[in-house]
């Protein structure tokens, strides 16, 4: 009811709580320690991450990514504990990404979490990767009840909270926006260091021509495979100049890889802004929270900010420390769940590649 104050079911802790979070659903392996204090505040004690980077033009295979996670797990976790200034004996629970994500990397991290749980007699908490992004975004930015745009390499969703569930208002019908950008980066042979999406963003800043590309919003959903195919096809066009030489008056029709990056980014982001604005209008929200790896893109934040300002609202976003996959977001969501009495029994400490955001009972919110 409008005006009615709803009390949070999450009570202030009688003592400080610590959680170790482990993330490894894709090519980032992360570990972080978070503290929930008696005054209700949360403190990030450490946030360590290591990325599996492949050569230009190549993606990352599940088997190789899982091997990377196994090789780096001990160092990343030890660094996280050292930076936090606490011992593994001090933590109240060990939180790990249950899904969604790539199967083999998820299994590697789940195995590490189970091993630590058995060695140190600590309870396990399986966490939905998407909910981890949302809860960390809310904690860092202070957003109260925003429409959430979750954009990453594996997910593209417009989400709003209602009745202890993060409900999906719209999503991609095929590939995720991060996957779309990453795949085009491979086509034009951009480096994967630090990430293909970041390098697309930098190249787009040099673009000078906005080329017409398919714009595919379908109600509250978007389709991105067609725009990717069209952009890839333009690299075979006779007007495409890969060497990016200075253009003269006779080269009015010529376009470069930078122009394609600019055009792809502008068109895709415009689609995302449109469906996010629809969700804001539907629920009457004045806040937008952008989470996920693509959420660190400054141009997306700028475009979303223009839309929100015109509606009398505002945008909340974080930098790459918290947008890109990390262990601290898993610790945050896991500790909220743990404080509500939830634990994952060892026999059920599995992982799954398909785990939708709206399947999670958000017990800690009113």
């Amino acid at each position: 009811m409008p005006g009615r104050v709803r009390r949070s079911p999450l009570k202030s802790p009688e003592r400080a709580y610590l959680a170790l979070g482990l993330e490894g659903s894709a090519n980032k392996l992360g570990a972080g320690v978070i503290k929930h204090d008696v005054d209700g505040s949360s403190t990030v004690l450490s946030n360590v991450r290591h990325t599996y980077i492949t050569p230009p033009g190549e993606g990352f295979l599940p088997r190789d990514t899982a091997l990377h996670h196994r090789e780096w797990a001990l160092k990343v976790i030890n660094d996280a504990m050292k930076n936090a200034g606490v011992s593994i004996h001090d933590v109240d629970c060990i939180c790990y990404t249950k899904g969604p994500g790539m199967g083999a990397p998820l299994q590697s991290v789940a195995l590490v979490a189970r091993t630590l749980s058995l060695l140190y007699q600590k309870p396990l908490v399986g966490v939905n990767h998407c909910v981890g992004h949302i809860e960390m975004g809310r904690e860092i930015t202070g957003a109260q009840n925003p429409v959430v745009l979750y954009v990453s390499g594996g997910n593209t969703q417009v989400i709003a909270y209602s009745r202890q569930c993060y409900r999906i208002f719209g999503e991609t019908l095929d590939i995720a926006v991060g996957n779309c950008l990453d795949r085009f980066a491979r086509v034009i042979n951009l480096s994967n260091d630090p990430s293909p999406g970041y390098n697309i963003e930098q190249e787009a800043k040099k673009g000078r021509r906005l080329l017409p590309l398919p714009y595919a919003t379908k109600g509250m959903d978007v389709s991105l495979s067609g725009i990717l195919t069209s952009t890839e096809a333009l690299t075979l066009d006779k007007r495409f100049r890969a060497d990016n030489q200075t253009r003269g008056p006779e080269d009015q029709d010529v376009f470069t890889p930078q122009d394609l990056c600019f055009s792809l980014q502008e068109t895709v982001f415009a689609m995302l802004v449109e469906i996010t604005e629809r969700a804001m209008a539907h629920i009457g929200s004045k806040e937008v929270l952008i989470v996920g790896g693509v959420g660190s893109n400054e141009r997306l934040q700028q475009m979303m900010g223009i839309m929100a300002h015109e509606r009398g609202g505002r945008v909340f976003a974080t930098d790459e420390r918290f947008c890109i996959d990390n262990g601290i977001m898993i610790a945050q969501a896991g500790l909220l769940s743990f404080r509500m009495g939830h634990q994952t029994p060892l026999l059920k400490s599995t992982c799954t590649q398909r785990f939708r955001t709206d399947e999670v009972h958000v017990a800690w919110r009113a």
Side-chain angles (χ1 to χ4, degrees):
M1 294 177 59
R4 181 180 176 183
V5 177
R6 295 178 173 86
R7 293 183 178 179
S8 170
L10 187 69
K11 307 300 181 185
S12 296
E14 297 179 354
R15 62 174 179 85
Y17 282 87
L18 292 172
L20 169 65
L22 303 176
E23 154 62 22
S25 59
N27 68 325
K28 277 86 176 172
L29 174 67
V33 179
I34 199 161
K35 179 182 181 181
H36 286 186
D37 226 323
V38 291
D39 61 358
S41 64
S42 299
T43 306
V44 175
L45 299 183
S46 65
N47 186 19
V48 180
R49 180 171 57 215
H50 193 273
T51 304
Y52 172 54
I53 297 175
T54 55
E58 296 183 15
F60 48 92
L61 298 175
R63 180 182 60 184
D64 298 333
T65 308
L67 179 61
H68 164 270
H69 291 358
R70 293 196 294 270
E71 290 177 344
W72 281 90
L74 188 60
K75 176 172 174 48
V76 168
I77 294 171
N78 281 338
D79 286 350
M81 303 308 297
K82 181 179 179 181
N83 292 352
V86 298
S87 163
I88 190 75
H89 298 282
D90 300 324
V91 304
D92 293 284
C93 60
I94 296 171
C95 313
Y96 75 97
T97 304
K98 185 177 180 66
M102 300 171 70
L106 281 172
Q107 290 173 357
S108 295
V109 175
L111 177 60
V112 171
R114 283 195 293 270
T115 302
L116 291 175
S117 173
L118 289 171
L119 281 174
Y120 297 100
Q121 296 299 298
K122 300 293 182 181
L124 280 171
V125 181
V127 175
N128 179 285
H129 179 87
C130 316
V131 172
H133 273 296
I134 295 171
E135 291 303 336
M136 200 66 229
R138 289 180 62 236
E139 177 60 34
I140 294 297
T141 64
Q144 296 300 307
N145 190 31
V147 169
V148 179
L149 175 64
Y150 171 37
V151 278
S152 68
N155 299 274
T156 299
Q157 296 175 344
V158 176
I159 302 162
Y161 173 81
S162 176
R163 299 184 179 184
Q164 296 193 310
C165 179
Y166 285 118
R167 304 184 186 274
I168 301 172
F169 276 64
E171 59 190 321
T172 177
L173 297 173
D174 36 52
I175 61 174
V177 59
N179 185 245
C180 175
L181 297 174
D182 291 356
R183 285 167 62 176
F184 183 66
R186 293 202 291 270
V187 169
I188 58 176
N189 212 37
L190 288 183
S191 171
N192 290 322
D193 187 11
S195 71
Y198 174 82
N199 292 324
I200 285 271
E201 180 183 2
Q202 304 315 308
E203 292 299 300
K205 293 176 181 178
K206 306 170 189 174
R208 291 189 288 169
R209 287 193 62 188
L210 181 62
L211 300 165
L213 293 171
Y215 187 97
T217 56
K218 302 184 179 184
M220 285 298 298
D221 300 323
V222 295
S223 176
L224 300 171
S225 57
I227 188 172
L228 173 62
T229 301
S230 296
T231 312
E232 290 177 348
L234 285 173
T235 63
L236 304 177
D237 192 289
K238 62 182 180 180
R239 297 168 296 169
F240 178 66
R241 179 175 291 175
D243 56 15
N244 197 29
Q245 293 178 358
T246 303
R247 288 175 286 191
E250 72 281 2
D251 295 326
Q252 294 298 316
D253 293 333
V254 167
F255 54 87
T256 66
Q258 289 73 26
D259 294 329
L260 290 179
C261 291
F262 171 67
S263 302
L264 177 62
Q265 200 174 253
E266 291 292 302
T267 307
V268 168
F269 290 173
M271 293 159 60
L272 297 176
V273 170
E274 178 185 333
I275 62 173
T276 304
E277 183 175 17
R278 283 209 190 102
M280 290 178 71
H282 183 79
I283 70 170
S285 175
K286 296 292 185 182
E287 297 180 335
V288 179
L289 172 63
I290 309 176
V291 299
V294 182
S296 60
N297 187 296
E298 294 178 354
R299 178 55 180 158
L300 175 59
Q301 294 179 13
Q302 181 186 40
M303 292 173 68
M304 196 67 70
I306 293 171
M307 179 274 290
H309 178 74
E310 290 175 350
R311 298 185 61 85
R314 60 181 298 195
V315 168
F316 296 86
T318 63
D319 58 30
E320 57 87 27
R321 292 174 299 168
F322 303 108
C323 265
I324 297 173
D325 292 351
N326 58 84
I328 199 68
M329 71 183 196
I330 303 302
Q332 168 68 2
L335 189 52
L336 289 171
S337 185
F338 177 77
R339 287 173 53 193
M340 291 301 299
H342 174 74
Q343 296 182 24
T344 302
L346 189 66
L347 292 177
K348 294 186 177 180
S349 60
T350 55
C351 49
T352 174
Q353 291 179 263
R354 300 183 184 276
F355 189 6
R356 286 180 63 82
T357 315
D358 51 9
E359 293 177 12
V360 178
H361 178 215
V362 188
W364 55 89
R365 291 192 64 180

